[in-house]
Amino acid sequence: MNKPLSEYPRPQFHRDSYLSLNGEWDYKISTNPEIPSSFDGKILVPFSPESPLSGVNHVLQPNEFLFYHLKLDLPNEFLQDIVILHFTAVDQIADIYLNDEFIYHHEGGFLPFLLDIKPYLKDENHLIVKVVDYTDTSYLSRGKQKLKHGGIWYTPQSGIYMPVWLESYHYHHIESIKFAPDIDNEEIVINVSANVDSAIIHIFGNDRPIDCNKDVHIKVKNMKLWSPNDPYLYMVRVEIPDEDEITSYFAMRKFSIVTDKDGYKRFALNNEPIFMKGVLDQGYYKDSFLTPPSYQSYINDIELVKSLGFNTIRKHIKIEMPRWYFECDKRGVIVWQDFVNGGSNYKLGTVTFPLITG
């Protein structure tokens, strides 16, 4: 079965435990909010129903409900104490049901969400996702999507449009890791969040114990600074012995504003003025809209930007998958990240009056 975008989606916090749920799901579009007993056909997740690659080609209306169904086939060896279901993005409002039981509600089409489904699992499991998308008829964030699209406005999209996946781990586990590089003091500040007191970190080629849930300062000998010309990344592995293990990375870099010899303020990378030569990247694809058709599409775009002599990408009113930010880090591309706009309709007087009057 075709499983697009099935590679591990989160290089910043990588676990070996991984099961992609991308591929063909059952779907139904209806004006009835009740969970259906039958479906219209198959949709290729994670492509939204409006996009050609989904196989559906239907623009979801504000009065319609989009239902997804997937039978979960979970290998016994995959299941541990905690089973986390990840949605990288669902546009705009999602209700999650497992085995006919409502378990989660999420609003917002651009942020990931996750939930522990282990308490709801049975011998046979059926996952239902119910979606409502108001596009630009509501205050919710939608970016440049518009039902009456054209000009600068995108064709709207809805539903699951970024990867869905599972991971499973023991009760004692690493919850997150945060890096704060300090090039002036030649150290990296690391905070490992976990439900244990300590772990083992493999860094700079050595293993050492690290306290969890607090900032730990580690000196960086022979520090290698990250730059667009030399995007050096330090790889890290953190382990709770016999329980959990993750890999991640960081870069020693500093963005700031400095004053040059003529008194002008300049953007600086690693305390040196830098001219940011950038492109506006809207991350919109012909056949899949806000979803890249493959991770190679990400790489092709980033490498094209670099080959044309640019060092910066402004990601335009869209949040990408973690994989995209990793590919930028790896290839020496600085990212300016837009917020995603929402809100009610513009008021013409409020927008134009200050322009006229000053």
Side-chain angles (χ1 to χ4, degrees):
M1 183 177 69
N2 184 13
K3 276 185 171 285
L5 298 162
S6 60
E7 300 95 325
Y8 195 87
R10 189 186 59 189
Q12 295 87 344
F13 195 77
H14 184 282
R15 267 195 185 94
D16 287 339
S17 170
Y18 171 62
L19 190 63
S20 173
L21 298 184
N22 296 343
E24 286 190 338
W25 294 40
D26 303 312
Y27 86 95
K28 186 177 185 66
I29 295 171
S30 172
T31 56
N32 185 347
E34 300 300 319
I35 295 177
S37 57
S38 62
F39 294 86
D40 295 337
K42 299 291 185 180
I43 183 171
L44 187 59
V45 170
F47 302 117
S48 63
E50 291 81 1
S51 69
L53 285 185
S54 72
V56 176
N57 290 302
H58 175 89
V59 176
L60 194 71
Q61 299 301 306
N63 67 329
E64 292 179 324
F65 299 89
L66 168 61
F67 296 92
Y68 294 84
H69 166 260
L70 180 68
K71 181 182 177 183
L72 293 179
D73 294 316
L74 305 179
N76 288 330
E77 61 272 17
F78 175 79
L79 301 175
Q80 300 183 51
D81 298 330
I82 297 168
V83 180
I84 298 295
L85 172 61
H86 291 265
F87 290 91
T88 312
V90 182
D91 198 7
Q92 283 174 307
I93 301 173
D95 288 333
I96 313 301
Y97 300 81
L98 187 58
N99 301 324
D100 298 324
E101 185 173 353
F102 169 74
I103 60 173
Y104 200 80
H105 175 82
H106 178 80
E107 296 188 11
F110 291 85
L111 291 178
F113 60 98
L114 55 87
L115 54 151
D116 182 8
I117 63 171
K118 183 64 180 292
Y120 308 97
L121 292 177
K122 299 179 179 179
D123 292 337
E124 184 175 292
N125 298 282
H126 294 268
L127 175 64
I128 296 282
V129 181
K130 173 184 173 182
V131 175
V132 177
D133 190 347
Y134 298 114
T135 311
D136 57 324
T137 66
S138 170
Y139 61 88
L140 293 168
S141 297
R142 69 262 183 181
K144 294 181 73 172
Q145 300 177 72
K146 204 171 181 66
L147 284 171
K148 295 182 179 179
H149 57 277
I152 68 168
W153 304 106
Y154 301 160
T155 300
Q157 63 159 52
S158 60
I160 299 169
Y161 72 99
M162 288 189 179
V164 186
W165 53 287
L166 291 167
E167 64 178 341
S168 187
Y169 43 78
H170 293 297
Y171 174 76
H172 293 123
H173 64 275
I174 302 159
E175 296 171 352
S176 65
I177 186 167
K178 182 178 180 181
F179 301 101
D182 183 349
I183 70 167
D184 299 317
N185 292 308
E186 298 186 3
E187 66 179 19
I188 180 72
V189 183
I190 303 178
N191 193 310
V192 175
S193 178
N195 58 358
V196 295
D197 294 331
S198 64
I200 303 296
I201 185 168
H202 182 84
I203 186 171
F204 311 135
N206 298 301
D207 288 338
R208 55 169 288 174
I210 187 171
D211 292 332
C212 296
N213 308 307
K214 62 186 294 186
D215 289 345
V216 177
H217 297 247
I218 301 175
K219 284 294 182 181
V220 183
K221 296 179 181 179
N222 302 315
M223 182 173 61
K224 296 182 180 180
L225 297 177
W226 182 98
S227 72
N229 293 328
D230 185 14
Y232 188 84
L233 300 178
Y234 288 90
M235 306 309 295
V236 172
R237 185 177 75 249
V238 181
E239 177 186 2
I240 302 173
D242 302 320
E243 297 282 354
D244 194 20
E245 180 179 307
I246 64 97
T247 57
S248 187
Y249 71 91
F250 66 89
M252 293 303 295
R253 60 187 173 191
K254 173 186 177 181
F255 290 98
S256 61
I257 295 175
V258 299
T259 303
D260 68 12
K261 59 183 177 60
D262 298 316
Y264 293 103
K265 293 185 182 298
R266 307 291 188 192
F267 286 113
L269 172 62
N270 303 331
N271 297 322
E272 296 293 333
I274 182 172
F275 184 74
M276 294 186 181
K277 296 176 287 185
V279 299
L280 183 71
D281 181 0
Q282 310 207 26
Y284 198 79
Y285 298 87
K286 176 184 176 182
D287 294 323
S288 51
F289 301 173
L290 291 177
T291 312
S294 68
Y295 287 129
Q296 188 62 44
S297 300
Y298 275 165
I299 294 170
N300 292 345
D301 288 348
I302 295 166
E303 290 186 344
L304 177 61
V305 167
K306 284 297 295 268
S307 70
L308 293 173
F310 297 98
N311 61 16
T312 303
I313 291 176
R314 175 186 163 196
K315 179 54 65 173
H316 190 42
I317 52 178
K318 178 194 179 188
I319 298 171
E320 289 290 0
M321 295 180 239
R323 187 72 177 253
W324 182 81
Y325 299 94
F326 165 70
E327 301 294 355
C328 288
D329 284 338
K330 184 178 176 181
R331 288 167 174 79
V333 174
I334 300 166
V335 175
W336 285 15
Q337 176 65 58
D338 284 4
F339 282 104
V340 182
N341 61 295
S344 57
N345 290 332
Y346 294 131
K347 296 179 180 178
L348 185 61
T350 302
V351 173
T352 58
F353 189 70
L355 298 176
I356 297 171
T357 65

